[in-house]
Amino acid sequence: MDGSSIDQITSSESKSITSPPGKKLRRAGSVIIDAGFEEASSRKVPSSQFKGVVSQPNAQWGAQIYDKHKRVWLGTFKDEEVAARAFDVASHRFRGRDAAPNFNPLSDDEIAFLNSHSKDEIVDMLRKHTYRDELAQSLLERGDGRGSSRSTGPDRQLYIDWHVTDSGLNGPIDTGRAEPAMLRLFGVNVLEVPRNSGGDES
DNA sequence: AATTGTGTTGAG
DNA sequence: TCAACACAATTG
């Protein structure tokens, strides 16, 4: 596809945006648990406070949802929150409005995206950790279909930062080029960087 | 060997 | 429906 020069992340010491991808970012507005108690001998992993999230023996987190007496595995995740939101996504897709999400209800855009895919597809995305990108991709290509020609402008690049939003989108978004307005509409911080910067990131 | 995902059980 | 636990299947 676009094998040539994906996105050169210009370092850009701009203060408006936070750290570049690859760095662990702090999340805001999340629930912080206090895992204060631990038994002396038992190595039992602490149970998750989130629905649909189970701890794995390896100190990771698994997400699962039950559909018709059957367990549907949603994959394993490094972060408890991500696993919890994976459940939220699946929950919305499986049970529609009856879903009991761990976090805020999903945005209309995301729900529309969910409804445009089968359960298996959504589960597959979650398990392969590609849901976020698929969702972003879908939203970026949406619209009136008229502004798409302009989005391919080669003289600008977008640096996209992320943070946890109410709509439930998090993680880095890989967009070659897209309409900033579209991204902002989705609650993503977008910084347009002129190409001549060409800095490197540390 | 390490990790993921399933079998299974038991509680709500 | 839900998750804890045990362990088989899978992956590196």
Side-chain angles (χ1 to χ4, degrees):
Chain A
M1 317 206 168
D2 49 346
S4 59
S5 74
I6 307 299
D7 5 324
Q8 298 258 345
I9 307 301
T10 57
S11 68
S12 72
E13 55 273 328
S14 60
K15 54 233 170 164
S16 53
I17 305 297
T18 59
S19 45
K23 269 293 188 183
K24 193 86 181 283
L25 297 182
R26 275 198 115 66
R27 36 179 107 82
S30 297
V31 186
I32 305 299
I33 0 151
D34 54 279
F37 39 87
E38 38 187 306
E39 298 310 304
S41 52
S42 36
R43 62 170 58 165
K44 290 186 176 303
V45 233
S47 56
S48 175
Q49 58 169 336
F50 296 114
K51 194 174 170 66
V53 179
V54 294
S55 59
Q56 290 291 89
N58 216 70
Q60 270 205 14
W61 301 99
Q64 60 185 21
I65 191 174
Y66 285 84
D67 180 49
K68 168 47 171 119
H69 283 232
K70 251 313 193 184
R71 171 178 48 198
V72 179
W73 190 252
L74 304 177
T76 55
F77 305 87
K78 191 84 175 185
D79 294 321
E80 193 178 4
E81 287 184 5
V82 181
R85 290 244 260 59
F87 170 84
D88 285 7
V89 168
S91 182
H92 274 92
R93 173 63 244 226
F94 276 75
R95 320 202 302 192
R97 260 189 154 278
D98 260 4
N102 288 303
F103 301 114
N104 308 304
L106 304 183
S107 67
D108 294 336
D109 287 328
E110 186 163 0
I111 292 178
F113 170 78
L114 284 176
N115 291 331
S116 67
H117 292 276
S118 66
K119 295 177 183 176
D120 278 344
E121 281 178 311
I122 296 300
V123 170
D124 221 60
M125 294 178 194
L126 293 173
R127 292 181 65 150
K128 293 189 299 189
H129 299 160
T130 180
Y131 171 81
R132 181 202 61 229
D133 284 335
E134 296 280 351
L135 171 61
Q137 199 79 5
S138 172
L139 290 173
L140 292 175
E141 292 169 0
R142 202 157 293 235
D144 52 10
R146 265 218 313 218
S148 57
S149 60
R150 193 168 162 273
S151 64
T152 56
D155 45 280
R156 85 174 164 202
Q157 289 187 324
L158 301 179
Y159 173 73
I160 301 163
D161 184 45
W162 70 275
H163 68 286
V164 175
T165 67
D166 292 339
S167 56
L169 174 69
N170 70 359
I173 303 174
D174 186 10
T175 68
R177 61 264 183 209
E179 288 294 335
M182 190 67 73
L183 286 167
R184 294 196 184 93
L185 182 131
F186 198 60
V188 179
N189 290 334
V190 181
L191 174 64
E192 292 193 61
V193 181
R195 276 198 74 182
N196 59 0
S197 289
D200 62 285
E201 43 141 75
S202 61

